[in-house]
């Protein structure tokens, strides 16, 4: 059974940084593209960043490009989201997700989700 557990959220002032972690278990983690989504109150869940199974390809929403960095450690079954220069509009619950199919360069079918971690940026 696939399990994704996020951590690292919290309260930070605008301009600050946070690093989110997502620990994966169940299945062969290193074969799957992973990603991060977020959902702010009253809004739909939106894509933030994704990384291919090998880590060689990364993708970002325009709103976070240049500020956020996604990475993965296949030895520790963990994916990270480094968030710098945080803004009030980054406030949301952040979710880790795993692709359904293995060996894809892009996150084409996010099928497994963590419980989410709250990020609050005060202005």
């Amino acid at each position: 059974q696939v399990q994704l557990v996020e951590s690292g959220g919290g309260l930070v002032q605008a301009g600050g940084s946070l690093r989110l972690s997502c620990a994966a278990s169940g299945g062969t983690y290193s074969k799957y593209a992973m990603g991060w989504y977020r959902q702010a109150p009253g809004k739909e869940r939106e894509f933030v960043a994704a990384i291919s199974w090998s880590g060689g390809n990364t993708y970002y929403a325009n709103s976070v490009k240049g500020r956020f960095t996604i990475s993965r450690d296949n030895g520790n079954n963990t994916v990270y989201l480094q968030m710098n220069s945080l803004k009030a509009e980054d406030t949301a619950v952040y979710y880790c997700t795993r692709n359904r199919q293995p060996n894809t360069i892009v996150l084409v079918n996010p099928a497994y989700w963590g419980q989410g971690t709250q990020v609050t940026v005060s202005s």
Side-chain angles (χ1 to χ4, degrees):
Q1 183 177 355
V2 176
Q3 280 195 313
L4 303 172
V5 180
E6 302 97 334
S7 62
L11 174 64
V12 64
Q13 287 189 333
S17 298
L18 282 174
R19 189 175 82 153
L20 306 184
S21 300
C22 172
S25 61
T28 307
Y29 161 83
S30 62
K31 291 186 176 180
Y32 294 89
M34 303 288 294
W36 292 91
Y37 280 65
R38 67 186 181 187
Q39 188 167 19
K43 295 187 177 181
E44 293 188 353
R45 192 172 296 189
E46 64 174 3
F47 170 77
V48 175
I51 188 166
S52 61
W53 68 271
S54 67
N57 300 84
T58 57
Y59 309 89
Y60 298 94
N62 287 335
S63 59
V64 306
K65 201 171 293 184
R67 300 187 298 122
F68 291 11
T69 303
I70 188 171
S71 61
R72 65 190 298 160
D73 180 350
N74 285 347
N76 288 318
N77 291 356
T78 303
V79 63
Y80 303 97
L81 185 68
Q82 178 67 44
M83 306 185 295
N84 299 329
S85 302
L86 283 161
K87 305 176 182 179
E89 50 263 44
D90 295 318
T91 295
V93 177
Y94 283 71
Y95 297 91
C96 175
T97 183
R98 198 205 83 176
N99 202 65
R100 182 178 297 279
Q101 300 89 352
N103 301 324
T104 61
I105 295 175
V106 297
L107 187 68
V108 296
N109 189 5
Y112 302 94
W113 299 86
Q115 82 289 347
T117 185
Q118 176 71 48
V119 171
T120 303
V121 184
S122 63
S123 57

